[in-house]
Amino acid sequence: MPHKTLFMPLAFDARQKLDLPITSNSERLPDYLLQEERVVGAMLDSKKLTPLSPGSFRYVVTSFKVFQLQVNPIVSIGVISQPGKLTMCVTDSQLEGLGFIDDFDLTLEAILEATPRGLEGEAILGVTVSQPPLLRLIPPKILESTGHSILNGILLGIKARVGKQLVDDFNNWCNESKD
């Protein structure tokens, strides 16, 4: 008797906006955003970031638990910088910790822009994945609402880090490059 393995994929996303006033040296923000490795390292956890080539990084996302399962996403991030604007997106993603899941897809679109008032940005983080066998007894709506909460938490964590680390790093960069 054949068993059915057709399950609807789970899909969830989260969005955060960033408005970071910078009063000192704000005219230097466009040049700062051209320092890709430095800016990405200040936005994310630089200890989990590996530069692969110019404009390309590997990032081990902070692991988290979903209903007693440890989840460890690893992503490749593409970065495009131009004066006054830095854009990041996930170009590849893998999931460790949930057994054999071959249809995991993590998406990220993040934009950081220099404005006369400081930095503004927006990030959209999304995940599409089949329901892991260990979680098949949990209704998809509960899994999706949990997924939304987790992604929102990840973005809020990044937003808090960006609010502190990016401003500190920008100030350090301004001091280092005063010549």
Side-chain angles (χ1 to χ4, degrees):
M1 174 173 178
H3 68 284
K4 269 190 165 180
T5 56
L6 294 176
F7 288 93
M8 289 295 292
L10 302 169
F12 31 92
D13 60 22
R15 174 186 303 246
Q16 279 293 322
K17 287 191 177 288
L18 176 72
D19 188 2
L20 205 56
I22 295 183
T23 52
S24 173
N25 294 313
S26 61
E27 73 285 351
R28 299 189 66 195
L29 283 170
D31 290 334
Y32 173 70
L33 290 182
L34 293 173
Q35 315 296 312
E36 287 178 2
E37 188 173 334
R38 184 174 190 136
V39 174
V40 173
M43 289 174 63
L44 302 172
D45 183 344
S46 60
K47 293 180 208 80
K48 298 178 179 189
L49 189 69
T50 306
L52 299 174
S53 62
S56 181
F57 301 87
R58 179 176 169 88
Y59 186 65
V60 179
V61 179
T62 301
S63 64
F64 53 88
K65 271 192 163 179
V66 180
F67 297 105
Q68 304 308 313
L69 296 175
Q70 193 71 28
V71 181
N72 304 298
I74 298 172
V75 297
S76 296
I77 298 174
V79 178
I80 300 168
S81 57
Q82 52 202 89
K85 185 177 185 177
L86 183 127
T87 306
M88 293 189 327
C89 65
V90 167
T91 57
D92 186 40
S93 57
Q94 315 168 247
L95 190 60
E96 295 179 355
L98 288 181
F100 299 104
I101 294 184
D102 54 6
D103 64 347
F104 171 76
D105 187 34
L106 185 142
T107 57
L108 168 71
E109 291 176 36
I111 296 172
L112 191 61
E113 254 181 297
T115 70
R117 298 181 338 103
L119 291 169
E120 289 180 5
E122 181 174 29
I124 303 165
L125 183 61
V127 169
T128 306
V129 65
S130 62
Q131 195 166 343
L134 293 171
L135 300 180
R136 294 241 163 95
L137 296 176
I138 299 170
K141 289 288 181 212
I142 292 174
L143 291 174
E144 287 179 357
S145 69
T146 301
H148 284 290
S149 296
I150 290 169
L151 294 185
N152 225 2
I154 290 170
L155 283 181
L156 285 170
I158 292 172
K159 183 178 180 178
R161 183 171 33 252
V162 167
K164 169 99 179 81
Q165 283 181 203
L166 197 63
V167 173
D168 289 350
D169 188 66
F170 172 67
N171 290 330
N172 290 340
W173 177 78
C174 285
N175 291 332
E176 291 165 11
S177 60
K178 265 191 174 158
D179 330 8

